[in-house]
C-alpha cells in the first residue's frame, strides 16, 4: 500500500532504479541475480518475502543489503523458541515518573523487518506478525497502532526437516507474497565471495542508499499504471485454479495466490521498463508465488514430491495467451 500523496514514477525510471539497486546488492551477494530480482519484485509489489534455504547461504546478508540500498529503516529480530509475542509487537510498561502505563514499541515498528529464522519460534509468536503483515497495523491490549509505510517483512527460514524448527502455519505462509531459495553457489562464485571479503578488509559490507523510503513508494505506485490484458488476467486465474485440481495437491493455492501473481507480474514488467504485462512475466514468478501455498497429499511427501513440481506441471498444462488486446477494466491506457 502506497501513500496517496506519492506521485508514481514512469516505468522506464523504475526499471533504471531497480537495476541500480540490484547492482548495488549484487556487489555484496555474489551470483544470485535471479533470486535477488525476485526479492526486489516482492518489495516493489508491496509484499513480504520468505527466504527459505539452508544456513549460511546469504539470506540474512541479502535482507540487510536490500535495506541499505533502498534507504530503509531496518531492524533484525532473531526468532528463538522462548520469544514471546510482546517481543515482536511491543508492550505496555509502567512509567514510574508519570504513574501510568506507556507503550514501548517493538521491533516490528520499522520499514524493513528481518525475521531471522522465523520457524525456530512457536506458532503463537509467529502469529504475532500476522496482523502486521496483512493489515499494516499492530493491536496491543485493545489499542491499535498503524505501521508507517513502506513496511516489509523479509523472513528467513531453515528447511522444515532441519532440527529445532516449527512448521509455519498455512495462514502465515499465505501472507508471504513469494518464497525464494538461493541454493549453493558454484565454486567460482564461492571463490568470489572469499576474494571480495579479503579485498574489503572487514566483515561487514556497507552499501550507500540508491533510493530512499519515499522514492521506493513512488516506484511501488508505478505498478498501478501497468496494464494487464484480460487474457493474461484469465491466465493467472487458470494457473491458480489448476493447482487446486492437481492430483498431487490436497489444498491448492488460495485467491491470494492469484493476487500475488498479478502484482509480481506487474513488478517484473516495470523492472523491465514496460507499462504492460506479458505472459513471461507471469511464468517467471509462478513457482515462487504459488508453491508455498500448496499442501500436498500425504503420499506425495513419501515420494519426496515438492510443491514446486505441481506448479511446473500446471505451467506446462495451461496454455499461455498470445493476445495483444487492451484490458477491459477502466484505466485509460494508451495503445501499447
Amino acid at each position: 500500500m502506497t501513500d496517496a500523496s506519492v506521485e508514481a514514477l514512469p516505468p522506464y525510471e523504475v526499471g533504471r532504479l531497480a537495476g541500480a539497486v540490484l547492482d548495488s546488492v549484487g556487489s555484496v551477494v555474489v551470483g544470485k541475480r535471479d533470486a535477488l530480482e525476485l526479492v526486489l519484485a516482492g518489495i516493489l509489489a508491496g509484499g513480504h518475502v520468505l527466504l527459505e534455504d539452508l544456513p549460511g547461504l546469504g539470506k540474512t546478508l541479502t535482507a540487510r543489503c536490500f535495506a541499505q540500498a533502498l534507504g530503509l529503516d531496518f531492524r533484525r529480530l532473531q526468532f528463538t523458541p522462548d520469544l514471546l509475542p510482546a517481543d515482536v509487537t511491543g508492550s505496555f510498561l509502567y512509567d514510574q515518573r508519570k504513574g501510568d502505563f506507556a507503550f514501548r514499541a517493538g521491533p516490528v515498528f520499522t520499514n524493513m523487518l528481518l525475521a531471522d529464522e522465523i520457524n525456530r519460534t512457536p506458532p503463537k509468536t509467529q502469529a504475532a506478525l500476522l496482523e502486521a503483515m496483512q493489515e499494516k497495523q499492530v493491536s496491543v491490549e485493545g489499542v491499535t497502532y498503524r505501521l508507517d509505510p513502506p513496511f516489509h517483512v523479509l523472513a528467513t527460514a531453515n528447511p522444515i526437516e532441519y532440527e529445532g524448527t516449527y512448521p509455519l502455519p498455512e495462514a502465515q505462509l499465505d501472507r508471504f507474497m513469494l518464497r525464494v531459495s538461493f541454493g549453493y553457489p558454484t565454486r567460482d562464485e564461492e571463490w568470489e565471495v572469499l576474494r571480495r571479503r579479503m579485498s574489503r578488509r572487514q566483515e561487514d559490507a556497507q552499501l550507500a542508499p540508491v533510493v530512499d523510503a519515499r522514492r521506493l513508494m513512488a516506484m511501488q505506485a508505478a505498478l498501478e499504471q501497468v496494464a494487464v490484458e484480460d487474457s493474461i488476467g484469465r491466465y493467472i486465474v487458470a494457473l491458480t485454479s489448476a493447482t487446486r485440481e492437481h492430483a498431487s495437491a490436497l489444498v491448492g493455492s488460495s485467491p491470494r495466490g492469484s493476487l500475488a501473481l498479478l502484482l509480481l507480474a506487474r513488478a517484473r514488467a516495470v523492472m523491465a521498463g514496460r507499462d504492460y504485462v506479458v505472459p513471461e512475466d507471469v511464468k517467471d514468478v509462478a513457482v515462487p508465488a504459488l508453491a508455498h501455498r500448496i499442501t500436498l497429499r500425504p503420499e506425495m511427501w513419501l515420494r519426496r514430491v515438492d510443491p514446486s513440481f505441481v506448479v511446473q506441471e500446471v505451467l506446462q498444462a495451461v496454455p499461455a495467451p498470445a493476445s495483444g488486446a487492451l484490458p477491459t477494466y477502466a484505466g485509460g491506457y494508451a495503445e501499447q
Side-chain angles (χ1 to χ4, degrees):
M1 184 175 292
T2 55
D3 190 331
S5 65
V6 174
E7 186 175 347
L9 292 175
Y12 68 84
E13 179 66 7
V14 178
R16 186 187 68 80
L17 290 173
V21 169
L22 289 168
D23 289 343
S24 178
V25 175
S27 69
V28 177
V29 182
V30 179
K32 303 297 178 188
R33 185 78 176 199
D34 290 346
L36 296 180
E37 286 180 357
L38 288 171
V39 173
L40 182 56
I43 294 171
L44 289 178
H48 312 289
V49 183
L50 179 63
L51 305 173
E52 186 177 273
D53 223 322
L54 296 167
L57 296 182
K59 302 185 297 294
T60 303
L61 178 65
T62 296
R64 191 180 301 277
C65 287
F66 267 112
Q68 291 176 356
L70 295 170
L72 300 179
D73 182 44
F74 173 76
R75 294 191 185 182
R76 176 182 179 275
L77 182 59
Q78 181 66 50
F79 280 68
T80 56
D82 59 350
L83 196 73
L84 299 174
D87 297 327
V88 179
T89 60
S91 59
F92 282 92
L93 299 178
Y94 187 72
D95 189 334
Q96 291 184 334
R97 290 175 298 179
K98 297 181 179 179
D100 198 3
F101 286 91
F103 180 66
R104 183 179 177 182
V108 74
F109 288 86
T110 186
N111 294 135
M112 183 172 286
L113 176 68
L114 170 57
D116 217 358
E117 297 188 300
I118 190 173
N119 60 341
R120 287 199 181 277
T121 200
K124 181 179 180 180
T125 305
Q126 294 173 7
L129 272 177
L130 283 176
E131 184 182 12
M133 292 172 68
Q134 184 63 28
E135 308 296 336
K136 307 295 174 69
Q137 66 184 30
V138 169
S139 298
V140 181
E141 297 186 20
V143 182
T144 299
Y145 300 90
R146 298 292 301 177
L147 299 173
D148 293 332
F151 172 71
H152 301 279
V153 175
L154 263 61
T156 70
N158 295 314
I160 56 173
E161 297 86 2
Y162 215 69
E163 189 174 350
T165 60
Y166 298 83
L168 285 171
E170 285 80 0
Q172 180 87 52
L173 277 173
D174 210 28
R175 294 311 196 277
F176 287 102
M177 185 169 283
L178 73 167
R179 181 177 61 183
V180 180
S181 296
F182 284 1
Y184 284 111
T186 64
R187 290 190 178 186
D188 288 341
E189 290 169 351
E190 196 162 353
W191 160 240
E192 182 64 16
V193 171
L194 303 185
R195 194 187 66 77
R196 292 187 189 183
R197 170 62 183 86
M198 289 186 289
S199 64
R200 201 162 58 232
R201 295 177 178 267
Q202 62 181 23
E203 184 61 34
D204 293 335
Q206 295 294 325
L207 297 178
V210 177
V211 296
D212 57 18
R214 191 167 184 81
R215 194 77 165 165
L216 173 61
M217 288 193 289
M219 294 169 69
Q220 293 171 334
L223 268 66
E224 297 301 328
Q225 301 175 348
V226 177
V228 182
E229 196 270 317
D230 287 13
S231 66
I232 293 179
R234 291 184 179 279
Y235 177 55
I236 288 172
V237 172
L239 289 174
T240 310
S241 299
T243 65
R244 303 168 199 156
E245 301 160 3
H246 196 280
S248 300
L250 184 65
V251 179
S253 172
S254 68
R256 192 180 277 126
S258 294
L259 285 170
L261 272 182
L262 171 67
L263 293 170
L264 288 168
R266 278 179 151 180
R268 295 289 288 193
V270 296
M271 287 169 69
R274 283 185 274 105
D275 63 354
Y276 57 93
V277 170
V278 296
E280 284 68 27
D281 295 327
V282 179
K283 293 177 183 178
D284 287 345
V285 297
V287 172
L290 297 181
H292 64 291
R293 306 174 196 274
I294 297 171
T295 303
L296 295 176
R297 296 186 180 278
E299 60 268 26
M300 293 300 110
W301 288 105
L302 297 175
R303 299 179 191 172
R304 296 191 176 276
V305 173
D306 189 85
S308 60
F309 168 76
V310 173
V311 184
Q312 294 284 8
E313 284 208 334
V314 164
L315 282 170
Q316 292 177 5
V318 178
S323 171
L326 291 172
T328 57
Y329 64 87
Y333 295 105
E335 289 283 338
Q336 294 173 11

